Amino acid sequence: MDFGVVLQTNPPAARTVQLSQLAEAHGFTHVWTFDSHLLWQEPYVIHSAILAATRRVTVGPFVTNPATRDWTVTASTFATLNEMYGNRTICGIGRGDSAVRVTNGRPTTLKALRESIHVIRELGNSRAVEYNGATLQFPWSRGSELDVWVAAYGPLALKLTGEVGDGFILQLADLDIAEWMISTVRAAAENVGRDPDEIAFCVAAPMYIGEDTPESRAHMIEQCRWFGGMVGNHVADIVAKYGPSTGAGTAGRVPAALTDYIAGRTGYDYNSHGKSDNDHVDFVPDEIVERFCVLGTAEEHIAKLEKLRALGVTQFAGYLQHDNKEETMRVYGETVIPALTPPVTAKR
């Protein structure tokens, strides 16, 4: 299993770069950042600084979207960074959430998402692509390599991910929901003749290392309750489309465990998006925080991540929007990552 960190690009940018360096030092393979240019600093500028300050980590947005950024500009950014720093970028993409809603926009259609994935991937891999009636290719790009991982929740988005994604991003760590979504993506891949084992499966959730005491548990839950509110935005879209808990059908079913908890949701303020002091996520119960996040001692983290790995998860990306960033990364580097990473056998 690979490990990533997910950071917000809050000022000062040097702090984001510093956390990225710490992540690399502790054995994380990926550094991801939010991509909402109005809520936080421009991520791609900071990606360049992260890549310059590190040697091994792969860097990318978690996640970008086809609405607020021109697809060819997005591809050019990745291809340029790859030329500068040696194929160390990755593209996480979805229909759009905070980046579009903060401007009163709407997530893109799945058709637009599918087309954007194709255009960004082809150009980002130094290949030609048909776009708006023209054949496009970066004449300066040679040997660029770019995977495109798709963030999805709903049945049709999961189907698209299995059909075209290099990877699947699931932004919650609930075991039952992860099992359903991973199997849905794998089935969609098989239905179009793809090998599902070639798809990366990334689970992303807040990770918080704490003590085995009631006080520590309560603090961890409060620090990570924001995540249930963030996930609730996507769930609200699913409920609007499919109903509170759909049964069998052409689109598949949506687990009640994913949809039921938002019944008390009354709204969402994107100015507090992804912040531990979010003041309007009281509707998120403690149980959901526990199920969606990875909290507790190192042993508890290892136990839950082993179960996710058994479901087919190939990367865990931990959100660090809380007050224990450095210590959590340190314990992961010293205990959690080694427990879930096969030892490297020296060549003779």
Side-chain angles (χ1 to χ4, degrees):
M1 179 182 281
D2 287 335
F3 290 84
V5 296
V6 186
L7 307 173
Q8 283 182 346
T9 52
N10 294 308
R15 170 67 167 156
T16 307
V17 175
Q18 178 193 45
L19 289 171
S20 301
Q21 291 174 306
L22 280 174
E24 180 176 76
H26 288 308
F28 290 88
T29 59
H30 288 68
V31 172
W32 304 91
T33 73
F34 284 45
D35 178 11
S36 292
H37 59 287
L38 288 170
L39 297 176
W40 306 290
Q41 291 179 311
E42 171 57 35
Y44 292 117
V45 176
I46 298 175
H47 288 178
S48 187
I50 293 171
L51 288 162
T54 56
R55 296 175 53 198
R56 297 180 304 277
V57 289
T58 298
V59 180
F62 212 83
V63 296
T64 193
N65 70 85
T68 59
R69 299 185 183 275
D70 181 272
W71 309 346
T72 62
V73 175
T74 296
S76 179
T77 299
F78 287 116
T80 300
L81 291 173
N82 282 342
E83 189 278 326
M84 294 172 67
Y85 301 109
N87 287 334
R88 291 170 52 206
T89 66
I90 189 167
C91 179
I93 194 168
R95 293 175 57 213
D97 181 40
S98 58
V100 296
R101 296 187 195 273
V102 75
T103 60
N104 292 324
R106 295 173 59 85
T108 63
T109 65
L110 289 175
K111 180 177 182 291
L113 177 60
R114 182 187 295 268
E115 292 173 352
S116 71
I117 291 168
H118 177 66
V119 170
I120 292 168
R121 180 164 49 208
E122 294 306 294
L123 291 174
N125 282 279
S126 302
R127 296 190 291 259
V129 68
E130 297 296 317
Y131 177 64
N132 282 348
T135 300
L136 305 179
Q137 187 169 13
F138 300 136
W140 45 265
S141 180
R142 298 287 186 275
S144 177
E145 297 177 4
L146 180 70
D147 279 356
V148 181
W149 292 11
V150 186
Y153 287 103
L156 294 179
L158 294 170
K159 178 175 178 290
L160 178 151
T161 302
E163 291 172 349
V164 303
D166 296 310
F168 166 46
I169 294 172
L170 169 57
Q171 295 175 78
L172 55 83
D174 180 272
L175 296 172
D176 294 335
I177 296 171
E179 182 176 16
W180 172 72
M181 290 192 173
I182 289 171
S183 64
T184 300
V185 172
R186 291 180 66 89
E190 291 175 345
N191 287 340
V192 294
R194 299 186 69 197
D195 181 357
D197 290 336
E198 294 183 356
I199 299 174
F201 291 90
C202 175
V203 159
M207 57 179 182
Y208 196 120
I209 293 287
E211 298 176 358
D212 186 17
T213 67
E215 294 79 12
S216 179
R217 177 69 59 176
H219 181 73
M220 288 186 283
I221 289 172
E222 284 307 313
Q223 284 286 301
C224 297
R225 196 179 303 277
W226 65 268
F227 186 67
M230 187 183 82
V231 172
N233 299 321
H234 303 286
V235 175
D237 287 341
I238 295 171
V239 171
K241 184 175 180 63
Y242 298 104
S245 182
T246 64
T250 56
R253 64 181 183 84
V254 179
L258 182 59
T259 62
D260 287 355
Y261 85 96
I262 68 163
R265 180 179 183 269
T266 58
Y268 194 80
D269 180 1
Y270 276 91
N271 290 312
S272 300
H273 189 61
K275 297 182 182 297
S276 61
D277 60 353
N278 192 319
D279 60 0
H280 52 279
V281 292
D282 291 343
F283 71 92
V284 181
D286 291 0
E287 178 191 2
I288 286 293
V289 181
E290 293 270 17
R291 290 179 64 170
F292 282 15
C293 304
V294 184
L295 312 177
T297 63
E299 291 73 24
E300 289 178 288
H301 283 244
I302 292 168
K304 186 165 187 177
L305 292 172
E306 283 179 336
K307 292 176 181 177
L308 287 168
R309 182 171 63 176
L311 295 177
V313 174
T314 59
Q315 181 180 149
F316 173 65
Y319 286 90
L320 286 173
Q321 284 66 56
H322 54 64
D323 61 3
N324 199 33
K325 298 176 179 64
E326 284 89 349
E327 177 65 6
T328 293
M329 284 196 289
R330 182 191 68 80
V331 174
Y332 261 71
E334 294 182 1
T335 306
V336 179
I337 292 176
L340 290 147
T341 304
V344 177
T345 303
K347 294 182 179 179
R348 295 184 178 179

